[in-house]
């Protein structure tokens, strides 16, 4: 069985780990690049790193970064007149240094990602959504537009958001293999990621949404539990963008692309909502362990 999975953030990475544990599927992970940023002079790809570290079972305790990483560079950097709001571990920084050097030398982000996955022993095909720069910005009322990392990390995503845009998307092409992976997939899985901030940047790239729309089966996993995410601002951002609350909002965020939406069993009552053309399936979606993620992946794919 061929599976293409769209992913961003910690929840999406956990879903990928569950799918990767199933030996009967051929998995391609298509990862958001809207969060990418140049920080301390290096190219940081947070979602790509989180996916690869999670698939390698090396993710940090918060779900991002590397487990047991040191922070000596940050400690030294703090002595200089520079804002160190974006914390990055030493080994994680090595990844970004490698990425930056290779990009400067003419490699594509896809080539860098393939090499990075190999270093960490990840056999799943991990593809950036695009090799071209696509940068997410959010609009905060009374403040204007700000880069994603400023909003999410520096501002701790506390401010309301009433619009989102993807700088550079008009000229961006899908990375090699992205469209083919979606078109040839038996199932397209959209992970339990923040729809506007993690998945919309992927769908906004030329041809991606159309390929998903033509797929035979498209299943999304809701990031919400009782209308709220376990972490992050998905509910607040969705509300600010005018989407309905809860399960209806997740369906609306994907605007006719879904055949199925998996919700948590705690929200089983939402199975009775009038959502034309979308089957709502309650399953245990809390992935507190790798085993939980594998069980969820198995139940999504094996009907």
């Amino acid at each position: 069985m061929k599976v293409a999975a769209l992913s961003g953030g910690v929840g999406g990475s956990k879903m990928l780990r569950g799918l990767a544990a199933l030996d009967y599927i051929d998995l391609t992970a298509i990862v958001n690049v809207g969060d990418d940023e140049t920080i301390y002079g290096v190219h940081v790809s947070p979602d790509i790193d989180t996916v690869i570290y999670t698939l390698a079972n090396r993710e940090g305790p918060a779900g991002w970064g590397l487990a047991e990483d040191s922070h000596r560079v940050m400690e030294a950097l703090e002595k200089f007149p520079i804002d160190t709001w974006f914390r990055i571990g030493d080994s994680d920084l090595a990844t970004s240094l490698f990425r930056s050097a290779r990009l400067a030398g003419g490699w594509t982000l896809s080539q860098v990602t393939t090499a990075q996955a190999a270093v960490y022993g990840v056999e799943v095909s991990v593809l950036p959504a695009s090799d071209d720069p696509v940068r997410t910005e959010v609009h905060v009322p009374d403040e204007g537009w700000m880069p994603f990392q400023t909003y999410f990390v520096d501002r701790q995503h506390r401010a309301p958001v009433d619009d989102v845009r993807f700088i550079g998307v008009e000229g961006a092409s899908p990375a090699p293999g992205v469209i083919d992976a979606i078109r040839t997939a038996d199932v397209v899985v959209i992970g339990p990621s923040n729809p506007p901030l993690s998945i919309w940047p992927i769908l906004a790239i030329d041809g991606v949404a159309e390929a998903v729309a033509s797929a035979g089966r498209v299943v999304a996993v809701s990031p919400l539990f009782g209308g709220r995410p376990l972490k992050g601002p998905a509910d607040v951002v969705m509300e600010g963008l005018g989407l309905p609350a809860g399960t209806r909002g997740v369906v609306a965020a994907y605007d006719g692309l879904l055949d199925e939406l998996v919700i948590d069993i705690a929200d089983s009552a939402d199975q009775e909502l009038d959502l034309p053309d979308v089957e709502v399936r309650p399953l245990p979606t809390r992935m507190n362990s790798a085993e939980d993620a594998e069980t969820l992946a198995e139940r999504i794919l094996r009907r």
Side-chain angles (χ1 to χ4, degrees), residues 8-253:
V10 173
S13 297
K14 289 182 177 180
M15 184 78 262
L16 286 172
R17 176 158 53 194
L19 289 165
L22 305 178
D23 59 10
Y24 60 86
I25 73 171
D26 177 5
L27 175 62
T28 299
I30 299 166
V31 185
N32 171 42
V33 297
D35 299 3
D36 285 25
E37 188 61 87
T38 299
I39 300 175
Y40 310 130
V42 297
H43 184 116
V44 179
S45 293
D47 279 353
I48 290 173
D49 292 344
T50 298
V51 164
I52 289 176
Y53 297 158
T54 302
L55 288 172
N57 296 311
R58 293 283 308 279
E59 79 278 10
W64 48 267
L66 278 161
E68 301 179 352
D69 206 352
S70 57
H71 291 81
R72 296 187 65 181
V73 171
M74 291 304 306
E75 291 165 3
L77 196 59
E78 288 170 346
K79 299 174 183 178
F80 290 88
I82 186 172
D83 194 338
T84 55
W85 56 270
F86 193 96
R87 306 285 296 177
I88 184 167
D90 296 334
S91 295
D92 199 8
L93 178 60
T95 297
S96 294
L97 286 167
F98 169 77
R99 179 184 294 117
S100 303
R102 289 296 179 263
L103 290 174
W107 285 29
T108 65
L109 186 58
S110 295
Q111 291 171 320
V112 173
T113 302
T114 297
Q116 179 186 351
V119 166
Y120 280 91
V122 172
E123 297 181 357
V124 169
S125 177
V126 179
L127 303 178
S130 179
D131 285 335
D132 302 311
V134 176
R135 300 294 176 260
T136 299
E137 291 189 350
V138 300
H139 188 269
V140 174
D142 301 323
E143 294 189 57
W145 292 98
M146 64 178 64
F148 174 85
Q149 296 299 346
T150 301
Y151 161 74
F152 196 82
V153 180
D154 189 25
R155 299 286 299 277
Q156 294 291 295
H157 50 77
R158 294 191 182 97
V161 168
D162 61 7
D163 202 358
V164 61
R165 66 184 182 185
F166 312 112
I167 303 299
V169 75
E170 295 83 0
S173 299
V178 166
I179 298 299
D180 184 63
I182 296 170
R183 285 179 175 167
T184 61
D186 297 294
V187 185
V188 174
V189 176
I190 301 176
S193 307
N194 184 315
L197 298 184
S198 292
I199 303 300
W200 283 8
I202 302 175
L203 296 173
I205 295 166
D206 184 43
V208 174
E210 292 80 1
V212 173
S214 66
R217 182 183 173 208
V218 182
V219 185
V221 181
S222 174
L224 304 180
F225 300 80
R228 297 183 179 277
L230 293 177
K231 60 173 66 176
D235 57 332
V236 175
V237 171
M238 289 167 63
E239 179 183 1
L241 295 176
L243 293 167
T247 297
R248 288 187 185 278
V250 178
V251 172

